[in-house]
Structures are given as structure tokens and as C-alpha cells.
Amino acid sequence: MTSSVQPVTKPTREKSRGIFTALPAAIWLAIFFVLPLLIVFIMSFMSTGRGGRAVMPLTIENYVDVFDRFISVVQRSLWIGLLTTLVCLLVGYPLAFFISTRKSAGMRNLSLFLIILPFWTNFLVRTYALQTILGNDGTINGFLQSIGLISEPIAFLNTPEAVIIGLVYGFLPFMVLPIYASVERFDFRYVEAAHDLGANDLWAFIRIVFPMTLPGVIAGFILVFIPAIGTFVTSDLLGGTRGLMIGNLIQQQFRNNQPLGSALSIVLMGMVMIALLIYIRYGDQENS
Amino acid sequence: MPPIDVELRNVIKEFPARRNETPVRAVDDVSLQIDDGEFFALLGPSGCGKTTTLRMIAGFEETTYGEILIRGKAVQHVPPFHRPVNTVFQDYALFPHMTVLQNVMFGLEMEGVKRAEARTRAIQALELVRLPKAIDRKPRQLSGGQQQRVALARALVKKPTVLLLDEPLGALDLKLRKEMQFELKTMQRNLGITFIFVTHDQEEAMTMADRIAVMDQGKVLQVGTPEEIYETPATQFVADFIGETNFIRGNVLSSNGKYITVKLDETTTMKAVSDQPVADNQEVLIALRPEKINVFAAKGTIQYDEGSSESTEDYKKALLRDPNINLMRAKVLQDVYIGTDTRYSLDIPGNQDIVARVQNFGLRSDTYFTSGQEINIFWNAENARVLTK
């Protein structure tokens, strides 16, 4: 049911005091976020000088470069980001559904605890561990060889697939948690209503459960896609040159070509912004 | 005799036990036969098993034991989406992410009806519930009454054999509820669909239903028309639950067929009706509706509006010519004026308190009595019924 809560107008004094409470954060963000962003934005339109420094005059050459020379890396980043998100969704939705439909609260809490347990270990350490597992002398190849399934090790490492495995592992909780929250809120009487009207379980899921838990899915999508597309640790350690992503490129270019690095950063940010706009448009429909 | 639409045979529903508890038997050996085109009410207090019974007919709950037949076919193992029944849920359960029209079309789409046809039929259903203008709105933009209509249209558009309604008017305010009661009744008559309807509101059940099953603690206590249930309640629970009832205790003095004479105290007896044989000296409980009790002044003269008058003694004599009239003295303990009637709390022989409801005709002089007054009361023995436990 909709509850119509009357908006309470706070006294003006309260409002003005509200500004002061946000002031420290505003100053912090102005100095360490808005200012660097502006610098990067301006640099992305500057020419490259000695030692890769940004110099005048202004030019759009860097952007031409991004779309000329590095378009494959941009595409790969998008592709890896999307695939990672998709795999997280396919794995995470059933998991979130399973957890949130457990009857006992103890079971639910234990499951959620297990989901966030990996965060207790540093992400870098976990990625190195994955390197060990996926490597040519690693756990998986060792096992497959010992049972005689393969004679030569499979090259898991230094492929885009390895990057996706690493990213899915790292970001799965970000998909599971918002979907969990959505399914938890979902009232299963709607499924009864759907059954009553002739929908079997599959149709009830497609037409009722999934659309009604979509806000959680979209939130999870954003929470996975944004960090996945901009990753550089995972792709650096697991992807090699074939798994090179825009994040790695930015890191490289800031060493020897700052304006190009800046342009790459702005392009990455543009992609993130598009994702966020989609989220704003569709993500929180229920409350709008 | 119309054919039987829905039949329950010895249906039992047990919910599995929680730790260290015995299983809960929500529905206990219920057998019912509901006719085609009937408006049938399951009436009882909360927790009596009425909603569980409805949910078993819909297919949301499995029966633990017994059979449910719809049009002669056993459906215990048929999933809800294959049963020819549709439900109007208590809180409507309208899909919040769909418009009104999409909600109503949903059931048709699941049947595989083509979009254009589904749309036409959905609009017709919304016209039937007099809500054709709101088709593009979302459920949350509608009032409770409008949501109720959408829920009704969504179920009726499927042309079910049986429509199940789970406290459908519970969330509406009183005035709207009264309107909807008549509208539902009219709609059911016109459509000829069997309605099975769950409520805890006895007045609602009486207003709408052709027949009522009164339930308590998982059991059906009585099935009958509103009149049968009201006038001849089978048990003390039914008598108490449906309307207001006085319970008078006494010992059987003698019996003559269905008429029995009961002793209230050393000097007072009354006649009552019993459907079952009773033994002499047996203690019985007699149900007597407050509105069946008539009152008049203990002494003096009764003036009538048209000018005539009569002494109370003559009035008494005339009454007692009918052997079925119970007449006795009572003392008014309390008088409450409630407009159309006056409610008297009375002390009658045998030290028992009963309530009488007297309509305020205003046609005679002895119309209002106040506390402390001695008065005469009388009623017909046919209205005083011995209850089985």
C-alpha cells in the first residue's frame, strides 16, 4: 500500500545549519575530486611535451588517438565489464534468491556472512592466489594433469577469460547483496496471484518476480560494471597483454604521455556516466 | 437441484509442527457442497480455518487428507494455475509494476489469448466493475475501492467456474463496504458464477450469501441460509457469533414432542422448542434473540395512539390465550436509547440477566421504561430454542 507521508518543512534555521554539516565533505571533495577532475579534463585537450608532460596548445589529437589506436582496448574493457556483470548476474541472482528465501534467519545471516567473508582478505592477496590457482603449474592444471585428463597445461593465465574469472570472483558480492535486499522485500503473495491467474513458476518469475526485483538487479549491475570496466589490478595480474584493459592503459600512459592518459580517463568516465544515467532512469522506479 | 460446483469431502489440513509442538490442525474434517451459481460464505472468527479452506480450494495449500472436487473432478493434485478458479485476495495483490489494464490482461495472456483480444476483454471486464477510465494508471494511484474493483476485474476476466474472495471488503471503509456488498451481490446474480467468500463479519455474510458455513476451530458448525443460521442456530457458538443472543439456563420439567417446559426458578416456568429429545430434569441452554422479546407495563392502562385503551390485565389475558406465549415479570436493570430501538437489560426469574431490544414504534403510552421499573415481558416459545453444546 502507498503511504502518503506529508513532507515536513523544516524551519529555515535548521536548513541553513544543514549546509554546515555537509561542509567538511564538500571541501574535501572540492579539493581531492573536483579539482583533479578539472585538471585531467583540461590536460586531455593539451599537447604532449618532453617526458610526456602536458603542454599548450590545445588539441583534440588525444581523443583521436584513443579511438584510433586504442579502440580495441576500449572495446575489450567494455566487453570484459559487460561479461563480468552478466556472469555475476547469472550466478548471483539464483544465489541471492536462495539466500533470501531461507526460512531461518540464522541460515540467511550465515549465508550473507559467507558472501562477505572474502573481504576480510586484501583484494591484491586474493588476486595473487588466483594467479597460483590458474597458473601453468597451478592447482587446476596440476589436478587435471594428475588425473590424466590433459598432458600439457592449459593456459588460463594472461587471457581475457582469466580477467573475467578474477573480476567475477571479486565483485560477486556486489551483485548478490542488492539483489538479496530486493528479493527479501518481495512479497511472495504476488506469485500466488500470478499462479492464480494461470502463470506457471517460470512465467511467474519472468513477469512478476524478476521485474519487481529489477531495482536490485540494476543496482548490482552498476556496482559490478563500474569497478569492473575500470579495473587494473586484476587485468594486470591475470590478463597479461591479451587481457589489457583501459585501466592498465591509463596507468601506462600517465608515465609517458599524460594528455593521452587524461583523454583515456575521460573516456572511461564517460562510459561510467552512461551506466549511471541508465541506473537513474530505470534503477529506482518503484520509489519515484 | 442445481449441480454441485465445489465439494469438500472430509478435508483436513495440518500444518507441520514446529519444534516441540504438536501439528496444528487448521481445518478439521470439513465437508461442504457448494451449488453452481451459489453465493457461499465461510464465516468465522480469525483462526477458524476459513481462509485455509479457501486457499485449499484455490490450490495454494495442499490438503493433508480428504478430497476437493470442482465440477466433479478431484483437484488436490492440480496446481493453482490449472484450476478453473480465480481469487480476489484480501489485500488485492495487484501487480504494482503493471498498469490496471496490464493487470487485468495478465491472466488472459497466460491462457495464450491474443493481445488484441485480451485487451478488448480486459476493457470489458473493467467496464463491468465500472472502472473503465483508470486503465493506464498504476495500482498505487488508485483508492482502496478502485483497487478492489481492479482485483475483481482481473479475476472475472478469466471467466472462472468459481470465484474465491478472501475478505474482499475488509480494507474498505464502512460506507463503501455497504455499497460494494450490494454491487457484488448484483454482479454475482447477473454473471451466475459461483462465489465463495470468506469473512469474519456476520452482517456481511448475512447480506450477501445465499448460504453460510459457520466455522470455528477448524470445524464447520452449521451450514444454512442466513435465516436458518439466525433463527435456528445449531450450537451456542453459532448463536453467539451470529447476532446477539440471550442464553437462558433452566431444568426440563416436562416435554411434549418438540415443545418442552423448563423451570427457571421455584415459581416460574417457560416453554421452548427443542429439535432433539431431552430428558426430564436435564439442564438445558435456551437461545432467545433480544428482538423477540416484547415488553409492556406491569400495571395500569395502555393508551393507544388511535384513542382506544386497554388495561394491562386484559392485555395479559388476551396474550395468554396462545399457549405458546411465555409471559413473566422482569426488572429493568438498564435502559439504553439507541434511536430505532431501546435496549433493556432485564433481570428475569431464576436470577438471570437478559437483553431485550424493543423497537420504538411510538404508538402506545407504555413505550419507555427506566431502570428499577418492574415490567411484563413475553415471547413466543417458537423463538426460544434449546441448543446442543
Side-chain angles (χ1 to χ4, degrees), chain A residues 160-192:
Chain A
E161 290 77 12
V163 179
I164 293 175
I165 291 172
L167 289 174
V168 169
Y169 164 71
F171 296 138
L172 189 60
F174 297 119
M175 184 62 87
V176 172
L177 294 176
I179 296 177
Y180 169 83
S182 264
V183 179
E184 168 104 294
R185 268 205 312 258
F186 179 77
D187 187 342
F188 277 84
R189 278 176 301 182
Y190 291 118
V191 173
E192 274 185 3

Side-chain angles (χ1 to χ4, degrees), chain B residues 223-263:
Chain B
V223 181
T225 64
E227 197 186 335
E228 281 166 2
I229 301 252
Y230 188 82
E231 298 294 341
T232 57
T235 71
Q236 185 180 356
F237 179 86
V238 175
D240 206 20
F241 191 73
I242 314 287
E244 196 179 11
T245 307
N246 293 304
F247 297 109
I248 302 171
R249 227 165 261 286
N251 290 306
V252 177
L253 207 58
S254 63
S255 53
N256 176 18
K258 67 169 188 167
Y259 293 99
I260 63 168
T261 308
V262 174
K263 199 168 100 176

Side-chain angles (χ1 to χ4, degrees), chain A:
Chain A
M1 296 299 104
T2 50
S3 61
S4 58
V5 178
Q6 288 295 315
V8 180
T9 317
K10 281 188 185 173
T12 323
R13 237 182 108 238
E14 282 293 315
K15 272 189 192 165
S16 56
R17 212 183 294 164
I19 292 169
F20 289 109
T21 58
L23 206 57
I27 293 172
W28 183 276
L29 287 174
I31 296 174
F32 297 109
F33 175 66
V34 180
L35 195 62
L37 188 65
L38 270 174
I39 293 171
V40 168
F41 185 74
I42 294 166
M43 276 206 317
S44 74
F45 287 102
M46 287 165 77
S47 313
T48 314
R50 193 176 304 143
R53 288 175 169 279
V55 291
M56 281 304 186
L58 295 178
T59 169
I60 59 156
E61 200 53 41
N62 302 310
Y63 286 94
V64 176
D65 246 19
V66 170
F67 289 101
D68 238 24
R69 284 202 289 151
F70 299 116
I71 191 67
S72 63
V73 179
V74 173
Q75 278 171 340
R76 186 190 297 132
S77 300
L78 258 178
W79 192 231
I80 287 179
L82 278 173
L83 270 177
T84 300
T85 315
L86 205 65
V87 174
C88 278
L89 178 62
L90 289 178
V91 175
Y93 196 102
L95 180 61
F97 195 88
F98 171 84
I99 297 171
S100 51
T101 50
R102 290 312 91 193
K103 282 208 182 78
S104 99
M107 182 68 185
R108 285 199 301 273
N109 291 332
L110 177 71
S111 307
L112 288 177
F113 174 74
L114 290 175
I115 293 282
I116 55 175
L117 194 62
F119 287 125
W120 288 19
T121 312
N122 183 287
F123 186 62
L124 206 57
V125 174
R126 287 186 282 142
T127 311
Y128 274 118
L130 268 179
Q131 222 176 21
T132 319
I133 293 168
L134 296 173
N136 284 355
D137 314 320
T139 322
I140 294 177
N141 275 319
F143 172 73
L144 292 177
Q145 276 172 314
S146 73
I147 62 166
L149 210 68
I150 51 170
S151 49
E152 291 293 306
I154 300 170
F156 291 114
L157 272 187
N158 302 327
T159 59
E161 290 77 12
V163 179
I164 293 175
I165 291 172
L167 289 174
V168 169
Y169 164 71
F171 296 138
L172 189 60
F174 297 119
M175 184 62 87
V176 172
L177 294 176
I179 296 177
Y180 169 83
S182 264
V183 179
E184 168 104 294
R185 268 205 312 258
F186 179 77
D187 187 342
F188 277 84
R189 278 176 301 182
Y190 291 118
V191 173
E192 274 185 3
H195 281 163
D196 187 73
L197 293 164
N200 58 22
D201 286 339
L202 182 65
W203 276 113
F205 180 79
I206 294 171
R207 293 286 307 270
I208 309 299
V209 181
F210 191 74
M212 285 181 72
T213 52
L214 199 59
V217 172
I218 292 175
F221 197 96
I222 293 303
L223 287 177
V224 173
F225 181 73
I226 290 176
I229 199 179
T231 189
F232 85 99
V233 173
T234 314
S235 47
D236 196 39
L237 294 182
L238 304 177
T241 44
R242 285 168 59 208
L244 187 79
M245 287 175 70
I246 199 165
N248 308 94
L249 211 53
I250 291 169
Q251 191 208 11
Q252 283 174 14
Q253 293 307 324
F254 264 99
R255 286 205 205 108
N256 46 37
N257 189 343
Q258 282 187 359
L260 184 59
S262 300
L264 283 163
S265 299
I266 296 295
V267 169
L268 175 62
M269 226 179 60
M271 293 194 285
V272 169
M273 293 286 270
I274 290 168
L276 278 173
L277 284 175
I278 292 171
Y279 173 65
I280 290 164
R281 173 71 183 76
Y282 298 103
D284 219 8
Q285 252 179 345
E286 277 315 303
N287 302 328
S288 63

